[in-house]
Amino acid sequence: MENKLLLKKNACTRTCILNILSLLSDSKDKRNDIIKRFVEEFKFISDLNESSKIFYTFLTFLRSSKIVKCKLGIFYFEKYLLVSDYEILFFDHDSFYKNQLVNNKVVLFDWIKPQHLEIELHPEYLNYVNSHIYDINTMFTPSEKLFQIIELSKIIYQFHGKDLCQGKFLPIFIYTLIYFQVKNLYHNLIYMQRYFTIPIQNCRSKCPHLENGSNEKCECTDNISSISFKEQKFYLLNLEAAICFIEKIDFSLLNVELEEYCRNLDSRVHRIDTSKQPKKISKEISFIDRAKFKAKSISYFVQDYIKKQFKK
């Protein structure tokens, strides 16, 4: 039987952990206070559009205040921000059930072949993906996850032609996600959208990364994309389109005989997840509702601080 497990990623190294801890160090600098307040209150912002705008504004502040120097600094900040219980992002009922639906579709349609999506794959393509791409569920930060999506897209173009049109690219992308049984696609998508970062300069020789950080480079930060902001959005849109297709996939969208379709689904229906919303999620929703008022103040707090400190 073919190995359909993507590469696993090693745990974060000591260098990265030390840089995260440097953000927690005591300081009289008010800029450290604003970081701590942001981290404490950002998790209460449940609206995806609102949270992405606020996160973008805050990263702009970090760059303008020179707290974060480069892409590696952004990576360390992401780690610091997400060390807390970021699963609060997924406590929304609709998100839970949509993610569950997409997961079940990935399981139910693991039998499809390239011909069912009317595509032709390079004979070495799947083996190459399996040996070069990590499962996004083993990655921690949005930057790392997005990097894997971008790398997978590059491999598709590498094996099937740089001039591959979107109509040919997307089915290959979809087939790859199903073939390797990548789970929690929807949760990963909203996670990346929520913490979508801003363009920032590459690290230079002896770059300080963070104002109080060390000058070392963590090996796990090789998974930081140098792709432009606009291109990153393009790759996220591809993932969103693929998830939309998987969510709606049925007989009408496949090139398959009805008998084969029914036989394969019947043999897999027992594997789908029919569990209800976990108690932990239901319990936390009331907590979020009570705390939502905090979300309204944080963006104003950041803007007011910038105005006072940098626009005198």
Side-chain angles (χ1 to χ4, degrees):
M1 186 173 178
E2 290 182 274
N3 176 23
K4 294 188 179 183
L5 293 176
L6 299 183
L7 288 174
K8 298 294 182 183
K9 187 178 182 298
N10 293 327
C12 186
T13 63
R14 181 174 177 272
T15 302
C16 188
I17 294 171
L18 289 176
N19 276 278
I20 297 168
L21 291 176
S22 73
L23 283 173
L24 292 166
S25 60
D26 292 332
S27 173
K28 295 180 180 179
D29 192 330
K30 291 183 178 179
R31 290 176 295 187
N32 286 346
D33 293 335
I34 195 173
I35 288 178
K36 289 178 181 178
R37 177 165 177 178
F38 180 85
V39 171
E40 288 171 0
E41 299 191 8
F42 183 70
K43 62 184 178 182
F44 296 121
I45 305 172
S46 56
D47 181 79
L48 186 60
N49 291 327
E50 186 67 18
S51 64
S52 60
K53 289 177 184 177
I54 292 174
F55 189 61
Y56 183 93
T57 301
F58 192 72
L59 289 181
T60 304
F61 156 73
L62 291 181
R63 183 170 64 176
S64 64
S65 63
K66 299 182 180 178
I67 296 175
V68 174
K69 307 290 185 178
C70 59
K71 285 188 175 181
L72 187 53
I74 285 289
F75 173 83
Y76 290 138
F77 173 72
E78 281 183 329
K79 285 273 188 180
Y80 175 45
L81 175 64
L82 301 171
V83 159
S84 59
D85 187 12
Y86 65 84
E87 288 184 359
I88 198 166
L89 174 64
F90 309 132
F91 287 162
D92 175 70
H93 278 89
D94 292 338
S95 296
F96 173 83
Y97 287 119
K98 185 166 183 176
N99 187 69
Q100 185 185 58
L101 171 62
V102 175
N103 278 348
N104 285 335
K105 286 294 188 77
V106 168
V107 170
L108 280 174
F109 289 90
D110 71 341
W111 52 272
I112 65 171
K113 303 296 182 185
Q115 61 266 26
H116 294 139
L117 292 175
E118 300 181 344
I119 56 175
E120 292 184 9
L121 297 181
H122 187 284
E124 298 299 321
Y125 166 70
L126 292 174
N127 286 333
Y128 190 87
V129 170
N130 195 46
S131 60
H132 287 78
I133 298 295
Y134 296 116
D135 183 346
I136 57 175
N137 292 296
T138 67
M139 319 300 281
F140 184 55
T141 70
S143 297
E144 293 174 297
K145 291 176 183 288
L146 181 56
F147 179 82
Q148 296 306 312
I149 298 299
I150 293 172
E151 286 300 294
L152 174 58
S153 302
K154 287 181 178 179
I155 292 172
I156 292 175
Y157 286 118
Q158 176 186 334
F159 278 88
H160 302 95
K162 294 180 179 179
D163 298 325
L164 191 69
C165 68
Q166 190 69 3
K168 295 291 185 181
F169 168 87
L170 195 57
I172 297 175
F173 187 58
I174 292 167
Y175 178 78
T176 306
L177 296 175
I178 295 176
Y179 177 85
F180 286 108
Q181 292 290 283
V182 182
K183 301 296 173 55
N184 299 318
L185 287 168
Y186 183 67
H187 274 171
N188 278 295
L189 172 66
I190 60 175
Y191 181 53
M192 286 184 275
Q193 289 175 332
R194 177 177 171 87
Y195 300 107
F196 195 63
T197 57
I198 61 174
I200 200 163
Q201 66 185 19
N202 289 319
C203 297
R204 299 188 300 273
S205 177
K206 297 183 179 179
C207 178
H209 310 309
L210 297 166
E211 189 173 66
N212 299 318
S214 73
N215 191 34
E216 298 179 80
K217 180 180 178 182
C218 172
E219 65 185 25
C220 63
T221 57
D222 290 336
N223 293 322
I224 299 179
S225 175
S226 59
I227 300 294
S228 71
F229 186 66
K230 188 175 181 180
E231 286 182 281
Q232 289 182 47
K233 277 194 169 182
F234 168 75
Y235 289 116
L236 270 181
L237 283 173
N238 280 333
L239 178 60
E240 189 171 4
I243 292 171
C244 184
F245 181 91
I246 293 172
E247 182 185 4
K248 297 177 180 179
I249 190 171
D250 60 16
F251 175 72
S252 65
L253 296 176
L254 298 174
N255 180 26
V256 62
E257 295 295 329
L258 182 59
E259 182 182 353
E260 180 186 1
Y261 177 85
C262 294
R263 183 178 67 253
N264 281 301
L265 258 60
D266 287 343
S267 65
R268 289 163 175 79
V269 70
H270 67 282
R271 291 164 50 190
I272 66 172
D273 178 14
T274 57
S275 62
K276 295 181 179 179
Q277 191 88 309
K279 291 182 180 179
K280 179 183 177 184
I281 293 179
S282 300
K283 182 179 179 181
E284 290 292 340
I285 286 174
S286 60
F287 165 71
I288 294 176
D289 288 337
R290 292 197 306 271
K292 275 184 179 178
F293 72 93
K294 290 187 177 182
K296 297 179 181 178
S297 64
I298 188 168
S299 60
Y300 298 111
F301 175 71
V302 172
Q303 292 170 15
D304 184 59
Y305 182 84
I306 294 173
K307 187 183 296 183
K308 289 179 180 178
Q309 297 296 321
F310 301 101
K311 296 184 179 180
K312 291 180 179 179

